């Protein structure tokens, strides 16, 4: 069970993290969001998307009328991976093995919640859910599915937006991220383009 996540030793990341961060939300949520891994804030709060990336995420939900408490929000990797630098802890990308080992927990969450749609936010989530992160920026805004057949909507990670160096670019990408989440909301009410293979919405 997810209680056992606290004792997880499937990869070495547990050792330096404060705590694992499990997904949160109703077990019957129709919509699941998958990010990368907890950040510095989440490692301390124990809750997903409660730091700066969470603010971008929360705003995108709000402008689309998606209530966060009705969605299941989680990450591909459950422990914060970082490199100490002075008093700071610098984010490091989880590697292929860490993503693969932690898929066990993500699969458990997917099985429990059985969401109708998963929004994959960024390359790590996409790799975990589909086996490949190649071409993320071409795939974003489109529907795919997991090997088990759960529909996925691909989008970027909110931290990617925060890292953009230029105000105008950041504004554009924020709007695009919000448009992607709008598509997820429309899909849930049967108002999005058909996502089946070969349809305009799924063609690369
Ligand atoms: N970034 C993520 O991918 N997940 C979080 O929970 C916070 C930041």
């Amino acid at each position: 069970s997810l209680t056992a996540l606290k004792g997880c030793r499937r990869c070495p990341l547990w050792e330096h993290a404060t705590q694992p961060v499990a997904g949160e939300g109703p077990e019957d949520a129709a919509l699941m969001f998958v990010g990368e891994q907890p950040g510095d804030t989440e490692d301390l709060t124990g809750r997903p998307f409660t730091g700066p990336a969470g603010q971008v995420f929360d705003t995108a939900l709000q402008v689309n009328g998606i209530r966060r408490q009705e969605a299941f929000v989680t990450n591909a990797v459950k422990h914060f991976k970082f490199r100490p630098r002075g008093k700071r802890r610098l984010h490091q990308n989880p590697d292929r093995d860490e993503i693969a080992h932690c898929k066990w927990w993500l699969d458990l969450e997917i099985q429990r919640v059985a969401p109708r749609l998963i929004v994959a936010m960024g390359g790590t989530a996409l790799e975990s859910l589909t086996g490949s992160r190649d071409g993320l920026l071409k795939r974003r805004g489109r529907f795919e599915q997991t090997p088990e057949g759960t529909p996925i909507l691909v989008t970027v990670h909110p931290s990617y937006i925060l890292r953009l160096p230029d105000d105008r670019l950041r504004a554009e990408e924020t709007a695009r991220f919000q448009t992607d989440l709008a598509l997820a909301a429309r899909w849930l009410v049967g108002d999005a383009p058909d996502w089946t293979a070969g349809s305009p919405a799924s063609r690369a």
Side-chain angles (χ1 to χ4, degrees):
S1 80
L2 283 164
T3 323
L5 179 58
K6 286 197 172 60
C8 185
R9 302 292 184 263
R10 286 170 185 267
C11 85
L13 293 184
W14 64 272
E15 203 172 344
H16 300 290
T18 306
Q19 59 191 324
V21 177
E24 71 176 16
E27 297 249 314
D28 63 349
L31 190 55
M32 176 181 281
F33 291 92
V34 181
E36 183 193 69
Q37 62 167 338
D40 184 80
T41 304
E42 292 79 12
D43 173 76
L44 299 172
T45 63
R47 296 183 50 218
F49 287 101
T50 42
Q55 286 183 17
V56 176
F57 176 58
D58 284 342
T59 302
L61 293 178
Q62 275 161 25
V63 300
N64 286 302
I66 302 169
R67 279 201 285 272
R68 176 159 169 167
Q69 63 267 29
E70 288 178 8
F72 194 88
V73 180
T74 191
N75 286 299
V77 171
K78 311 303 190 198
H79 283 105
F80 179 37
K81 182 179 184 182
F82 62 93
R83 180 163 51 86
R85 179 153 164 204
K87 289 183 179 175
R88 312 220 71 139
R89 304 190 296 172
L90 299 185
H91 166 276
Q92 285 197 288
N93 296 323
D95 66 28
R96 191 194 285 267
D97 286 346
E98 288 151 357
I99 295 166
H101 287 304
C102 217
K103 182 66 168 9
W104 194 88
W105 295 108
L106 181 58
D107 278 339
L108 191 62
E109 292 175 320
I110 294 170
Q111 281 165 28
R112 281 211 186 168
V113 176
R116 287 176 53 217
L117 178 66
I118 300 175
V119 179
M121 300 191 289
T124 298
L126 190 59
E127 176 177 335
S128 180
L129 291 164
T130 71
S132 168
R133 68 171 70 203
D134 293 351
L136 165 66
L137 293 180
K138 280 189 192 156
R139 293 160 72 183
R140 73 92 53 90
R142 298 175 186 275
F143 291 91
E144 300 189 10
Q145 48 185 310
T146 68
E148 294 75 27
T150 304
I152 302 172
L153 176 65
V154 182
T155 190
V156 298
H157 194 284
S159 297
Y160 158 78
I161 298 168
L162 289 174
R163 284 195 308 267
L164 292 170
D166 172 273
D167 285 352
R168 190 179 56 89
L169 248 185
R170 211 159 41 242
E172 281 171 12
E173 285 301 313
T174 301
R176 248 185 118 184
F177 178 64
Q178 292 173 355
T179 302
D180 288 345
L181 297 207
L183 193 56
R186 283 177 56 196
W187 187 93
L188 284 176
V189 296
D191 183 32
D194 182 28
W195 59 276
T196 51
S199 74
S202 71
R203 241 185 331 255

